[in-house]
Amino acid sequence: MANAAQKLVVIGNGMSGQAALEEILKIKNDNIEMAVFGGEPFHSYNRIMLSDVLSGKRSFSQLNTKNRSWYEENKIKLFTGSVVTKIDKDKKRMYAQNGYSSPYDKILIATGSVPFIPPIKGVDKKGVFVYRTIEDVWSIAEVSRYRKKAVVIGGGLLGLEAAKALKDNGMDVSVVHLADHLMEQQLDYDSGWILQMLLERMGLKFRVQAVTDEILGDDSVSGIRLNTGEEIDADLVLICTGIKPNTELAENLGLMVKRGIVVNDFMETSQEGIYAIGECVEHRGMVYGLFDPLTNQAKVVADVIAGSGVKTFEELLLSAVLKVAEINLVSVGEFEGGKDYEDIVYSDPQAGIYKKIVIKDDKIQGAIFLGDIKKYREIYQLVKEKALINGNRHDLLLSS
Amino acid sequence: MNFEHSSEYKTVCPYCGVGCGVILETGAGKVRGVRGDPDHPSNKGRLCTKGRNLHHTIHNKDRLTHPLIRDSKLSPFTSTTWDNALDRISSKFRSLIDDYGPESIAFYVSGQLLTEDYYVVNKLSKGFLKVNNLDSNSRLCMSSAVMGYRRAFGVDAPPCSYEDLKSTDCVFIIGSNMAYCHPVIFMQLAEEKEKRGDGLKIIVADPRRTPTAGIADTFLPVEPGTDVALLNSMIYVLTENNLIDQDYINSYTQGFESLKETLREYAPEKVARKCGVPAELITEAAFAFGRAQAAMTFWAMGLNQSSSGTDKNNALINLSIVTGNIGKPGAGPFSLTGQANAMGGRETGGLANILPGHRYMADEEHRQKVAGIWGTDALSDKKGMTAVEIYDGLEKGSIKAVWIICTNPVVSLPNGSKVENALSKAELVVVQDIFHPTDTSIFADVLLPAAGFSEKEGTMTNQERNISYISKAIDPPGEALPDWQIFTKFAHKMGFNEQFNYEKAQDIFEEYKKLTAGQDVDILGVTYERLKQGGPLQWPCPDSTHPGTPRLYADGIFHTDTKKAKIISVNYNPPEETTDSNYPLVFTTGRVRDQWHTMTKTGKVESLMMTEPEPVLEISPEDAQIYGLKDGELTLVESRRGKATVKCKTTDKIRKGTVFLPFHWGRLLAGSGRANLLTIEVIDPYSQQPEYKACAVRVSKKLFDDDIKIVVLGDGTLTDEFAHKLADLNPNSDITLVSASKNVSNGSVKLEKRKPKNVDLVNKRVEFEDNTLAPYDKLVFSPRKRTYPPPVKGLSVEGIRVIDILEDSKRMIAKEHILGRAVVIGSNPYSIETAELLKSRGAEQVYLLNHDNILLDKYLDSMGSQLLFHKLRKKGIDIILGAEIEEIACAGDVKKVMLGRGRQIEADLIFIESIKRPNLDLPLKTGLLVNKGIVAGEHLETNLPDIYAVGPNVEVKGIMTNDPQLLSSQVDVLVNHLNGDPTARYMESIDANRFSILGIQIVSFGQYNADDERVNVLSYIDKAKSIYKKIVIRDNTIVGGLYMGDLTGAEEVLKLARSESDISKYRDTLLSGHFKEMLPIGRVVCSCMAVTEDEILAAVRNGAGSMDDLKERLKVAVTCGTCQEDVKELLCANKTH
């Protein structure tokens, strides 16, 4: 190869950036030189397991997917603690806040997301935390050691994981949730209620359909006040009200950004040579926050940058087997059902089991499995293949 | 282990003589769990079904917690102080001793007392009150073995140990269903057999092929009572074939020559017929025994409980002696003991004829020695009365007061009615027990609350002479006290303070020990400390370094006068009562697997009651046919002493000519289903042990007594069914069915068409309107429902149709030319069907006015109602829920239904359902208790004597039912109850509704709508298909259910609900309907895991071919292993098909 190697700079060393690097290495294209800029002072780690660090079940080193020597062995330049602030398109060079800079031919943006912090009065008080990075977790763990009462704002997946971890640390934990049931992104009302009951059995407390008006306290947090006027004492408040795509850099670059950085099926942004994957992107109107789509996107973008460029990212059936505070949970597709659908529901709340499939035109459109996920794979295939179930409804949920 | 401070305590199971070590787990003053002690040599961690459930017997509502007293047998008990209660006894005792001498008093004690308790009561009675009438229930259990040992070896001491099982190569079990009665030792034997196969020969002799025979190489189906003939014949074979140990006989025994003389008459060919055992089998068994390097024998009540029990024991011991099977590893005659501390009791002198340290009352020197140590003047030389004699004395009046401790003689002694009679006559009956009521305690004048298992400290000796320390884990309830403390308190009342100056159980043990010095039972080397630290010790153990004695007579020196083992020549004597044409069957008694003795403890454990819920007579199929009995039929068993009514079970496991009934059940649990109402009180001349194992009986189908006049008031198929079922039991029954309309085909039922107007309770007769009379002994009400017009204003408006049933609507609609608007008012299924019929017949608009807020609220919950609602709306029917109808008005041809608040619906046609209420005029007039219906108890009895009620308008435990299955079961219960079936009870608490509406089949039952905190609800909803299934669970039991649209599994789930089965292991498949093979319905075989016979059979059908398969699939026989042989039997009987 006579040509000089193409320089690829990956901005963001989170799970997506890491996945992209690995996929590119698999292609074994010697023509690519890679550098990665990570904003955090660490190399890549598995963010999904942060709550295990919070509860003390794992150490940080057990979360590391790759250590520094891996980057060296694979000739990848790693810049940690380096938030990219400026990109000079003419010089084809980028600059990080801490002074590092690197030339590039192609850019892969994998800046992920940042916690969404709702406009609540008093969020800047001492003892109020978000839950995103290992550093957040360390701070929370430190504080939870000598404080007794925690309020977690947000009863989604992340909030519940964090709440359970705080509870395991011996804190008295209340979860305040805006919607009328927990995990409304993945669960319908009834299953959300069952999940809440199971978590209550573990000692967590809940306020659903509750809006936090204010975080109380002078300098340090002393509690929160709900819009009903109810006050809950707390010396630690954790905000887990969701994430928003981190698009700041892309906007500065003048890329098309809607909810996230807009990409096509090849993960290309509106400017040539700039790609984006992960939680920061928007594909056909969808922003994905789960592990499965992220891995697929990494494969597509690796193929585009270093391979044949034929793979495309397609709209994904959203599905995930989740483990919320040791409870198995799956939801797939259109799980809400209701008016135009035919729902079939099996429920055994005391045993923590709820199974629902949503049918339309004799096809399964979606499903929820809580507590018992034995049949999930089978159902998932049916949803994916849009298979006709031929009226065989009874045995879908009820197994012998 | 620290015994004092731990929340775990080591003790020994208080049931049989195996003496299994038990670890108790306690918490908050209660025993929370038990498990086998892995360090205890008897069981090494194993426990049987009974032992595993010990903790369920301790904390019980029937515990006696305070002394109770009453003035006469007719007055109720009142709570009193210990002082008062003991004063009452002491003043009576004093006056009886003054007036009639100490012979007028008796103590009846128990092999369940601890050694310390036993010692103190014995010392009090014989030493200080001079009452020699102190006997123990051990008399009923193994006194023949005691005498057998004493006659052969000079003392009462089983020479071998459990460890001999490991080195024996032949085990002969006779008269013992070890698999049921001593399960843990049996399991060890079965394990050895499994390991060694042909290397360990097992011979079992029994009139029944019991589960014990499941591991036998040779089974001898011996005729009851003929054991001596069988045993002598075996020795005959041994002698003839030179399989005896002549050297041993010459050196260490005496009496063999005389035995040889006797044996002449016992050639196998000669005795085969008598014994019922083919000659070849006798020879085979003898050869197996004779050829063994080391052979053991085990026996229990089958030999002991006999009028020639002692002879039977010696015949068996002879077998061991002549083959030299004494004093060497793997050999010896091993008597199995029924109670945990029968041996400890005998060591301390707890029988009428003995004194502590294996001394004899009849021996002057022994009496002096004991009196000296006790510090009392000369002991009385009067012969003490033994168990049966004591009750005989009470009945005849020579004994006037009895103090019964820790035993239940009304159930356990032979000829039970006589015992009841004896206790009724007694001037003072003191019962000291942990429970009240028992069959015995209800005869008491004074009730003393004792501390039970886990509540007191002491020692016990098991059947291999092994002494264990028993620790106290929890405090006894209320004012209950350890038995020795009660005796001590009483001794103080009688003025014997100094001599009964014990502070703790250990003081008693130390005193008792001194009495064993130099005796064969010398335990001077045993201390509480040694037992606590080093575990059990086998006596003799004469000094503190002595390791205990696993095997006696290794030196060939015996405790007889000649120091030789004595071969006692015994001849076969038939049982006292032999069969004849009047009483043609031999009646024998025994046990079931999961009950112990008279069930005062095990009868309180639910999982143990599941395996054999009631006493059942076993009979061979041939005899059943001869005496006209069908399997499961109610049977009358009669002996010369009494009658018992029980169901029968035909089985080829019992000899033709013999019937068997377990003896556990007393009057409280089974009414007249008591084996010991039939048994004979004849006793063995040497051991005074009663003959429970053979008496003569006859059996017959329990016919309904034709002297009893039955009058049945009511209509309908149910009363007809009742009358006919009763008539079937006896064609000559005197039954009058008072019914207005029914045709009765069976000529034995009198049909009475007159109208009853009154019941004369005093003269017991029904009065009719025409002033005629029908006298009754038993009166049965079965009122039917009557229909009334609905209480709606404007009902008289022309064209309003009142309908009673769907047929009414069908008939009316068929006649009408349906057009325009129709209104149906009602909330029963037939009203909904009427609305649908109207719509389908062309009505322009149909309104259904439903009074309640949900449809069919008696049968559906709100979800079910919703489904039906949508279905009706789809059919174009308008529904108004919660409709309150004010009035129906008429304006020309148009009718208006006024619904209040100005709301009205116009209609051309109106259908309205009638109201149905039971006609309870006569029951009310008679004075029956009526709530929703006539209130009846579990025998369907009403509040008035001799008046019963059955049918849909009868309320049992608050429940009325229309379910044909339940109504039929009511009829069965009443028929069986009236016919004397002690176990006939109507226990159903789950009513079921079955109907179909708009093509949707519906079953709802029980508390399908329950919504309290303890309720769990499983549901499956497929609205689009109108399918809804719901199961309501409380404490792992189904209490209700609702099935709509798809009834798959509904009936099975209803059965599960009615059987109150624990469904935890089926929970996730309950709604699927795919679980039929696993239903835990039917006879429970494995009580640990609640595995039923049906489940085992299903697994075998589905290919389980070995025990390992079954263990893997069903987890059966793996927890404690007691059911191993039962499961094996089911497997073997069914796997080839």
Side-chain angles (χ1 to χ4, degrees), chain B residues 918-1118:
Chain B
N919 180 0
L920 297 173
D921 298 348
L922 190 57
L924 282 167
K925 197 172 161 194
T926 307
L928 294 186
L929 189 59
V930 170
N931 189 19
K932 284 179 287 178
I934 302 173
V935 177
E938 60 185 18
H939 305 301
L940 284 323
E941 78 283 11
T942 66
N943 57 313
L944 297 177
D946 296 320
I947 302 185
Y948 297 82
V950 287
N953 299 310
V954 173
E955 182 183 331
V956 185
K957 283 190 257 170
I959 308 245
M960 292 166 74
T961 184
N962 280 304
D963 182 8
Q965 283 176 12
L966 294 193
L967 293 174
S968 194
S969 136
Q970 283 185 2
V971 167
D972 288 340
V973 167
L974 182 54
V975 165
N976 288 331
H977 172 74
L978 290 175
N979 195 24
D981 179 356
T983 59
R985 290 189 179 95
Y986 180 76
M987 308 288 274
E988 303 294 349
S989 54
I990 294 187
D991 182 27
N993 309 294
R994 297 180 174 81
F995 59 100
S996 170
I997 190 162
L998 307 182
I1000 306 174
Q1001 290 182 297
I1002 298 175
V1003 171
S1004 65
F1005 53 87
Q1007 303 169 44
Y1008 62 86
N1009 223 353
D1011 190 23
D1012 59 81
E1013 278 173 10
R1014 283 165 57 224
V1015 141
N1016 295 345
V1017 176
L1018 268 62
S1019 64
Y1020 173 83
I1021 305 167
D1022 186 346
K1023 280 187 200 162
K1025 298 286 171 201
S1026 297
I1027 293 173
Y1028 175 39
K1029 306 185 191 189
K1030 173 187 186 182
I1031 295 175
V1032 182
I1033 295 171
R1034 192 180 282 136
D1035 301 331
N1036 288 325
T1037 311
I1038 300 172
V1039 296
L1042 172 57
Y1043 281 71
M1044 279 180 81
D1046 173 9
L1047 301 190
T1048 318
E1051 291 300 325
E1052 287 82 359
V1053 166
L1054 175 57
K1055 261 195 213 169
L1056 282 173
R1058 285 183 173 161
S1059 64
E1060 291 175 33
S1061 305
D1062 184 320
I1063 51 79
S1064 39
K1065 56 182 170 173
Y1066 307 104
R1067 186 170 179 135
D1068 55 345
T1069 51
L1070 276 179
L1071 277 179
S1072 74
H1074 296 311
F1075 55 96
K1076 283 178 202 154
E1077 296 285 41
M1078 310 187 298
L1079 285 182
I1081 292 174
R1083 188 175 74 95
V1084 172
V1085 176
C1086 169
S1087 59
C1088 298
M1089 301 303 287
V1091 181
T1092 62
E1093 190 172 316
D1094 290 355
E1095 287 175 283
I1096 294 168
L1097 296 180
V1100 173
R1101 271 199 304 279
N1102 292 333
S1106 68
M1107 279 303 284
D1108 286 343
D1109 270 2
L1110 284 174
K1111 286 177 180 177
E1112 170 71 30
R1113 289 190 197 194
L1114 299 173
K1115 306 286 170 256
V1116 71
V1118 291

Side-chain angles (χ1 to χ4, degrees), chain B residues 464-481:
Chain B
E464 55 157 10
R465 294 173 280 105
N466 219 351
I467 303 172
S468 288
Y469 171 74
I470 307 297
S471 60
K472 177 187 164 185
I474 55 169
D475 287 327
E479 292 180 75
L481 291 174

Side-chain angles (χ1 to χ4, degrees), chain B residues 223-238:
Chain B
E223 186 88 40
T226 63
D227 312 79
V228 169
L230 172 71
L231 294 164
N232 277 356
S233 188
M234 282 175 71
I235 302 174
Y236 174 93
V237 175
L238 293 172

Side-chain angles (χ1 to χ4, degrees), chain B residues 252-429:
Chain B
Y252 305 116
T253 76
Q254 66 183 96
F256 184 58
E257 289 312 311
S258 148
L259 175 67
K260 276 210 315 214
E261 282 297 305
T262 308
L263 290 179
R264 279 191 198 162
E265 297 305 312
Y266 291 90
E269 300 71 31
K270 283 191 185 170
V271 302
R273 261 191 68 154
K274 194 183 295 165
C275 299
V277 183
E280 313 80 72
L281 279 183
I282 299 176
T283 309
E284 184 185 314
F287 268 79
F289 197 87
R291 283 178 175 159
Q293 291 296 309
M296 293 180 85
T297 60
F298 285 96
W299 74 99
M301 307 315 144
L303 295 198
N304 297 343
Q305 292 178 335
S306 159
S307 56
S308 53
T310 306
D311 283 354
K312 288 176 179 177
N313 270 269
N314 284 106
L316 183 67
I317 293 170
N318 287 346
L319 194 59
S320 295
I321 299 177
V322 299
T323 50
N325 275 304
I326 308 269
K328 65 180 187 185
F334 199 144
S335 148
L336 294 166
T337 306
Q339 292 189 89
N341 197 35
M343 192 171 290
R346 303 197 310 267
E347 290 153 18
T348 55
L351 288 171
N353 48 344
I354 55 176
L355 285 168
H358 284 178
R359 290 183 177 84
Y360 306 119
M361 291 294 290
D363 188 317
E364 169 69 29
E365 209 178 304
H366 285 179
R367 289 202 304 275
Q368 275 179 10
K369 168 86 180 173
V370 173
I373 294 176
W374 280 348
T376 183
D377 44 3
L379 304 186
S380 159
D381 60 355
K382 286 233 164 58
K383 187 184 163 294
M385 297 284 133
T386 62
V388 169
E389 295 163 334
I390 287 173
Y391 293 89
D392 202 45
L394 281 163
E395 205 210 12
K396 296 204 171 92
S398 61
I399 297 176
K400 302 189 184 302
V402 65
W403 188 335
I404 299 165
I405 298 137
C406 192
T407 183
N408 194 7
V410 169
V411 182
S412 57
L413 280 170
N415 196 0
S417 332
K418 183 173 158 177
V419 178
E420 287 177 333
N421 196 23
L423 289 177
S424 316
K425 283 185 173 176
E427 290 179 24
L428 177 70
V429 176

Side-chain angles (χ1 to χ4, degrees), chain A residues 145 192 222:
Chain A
R145 221 177 289 157
S222 68

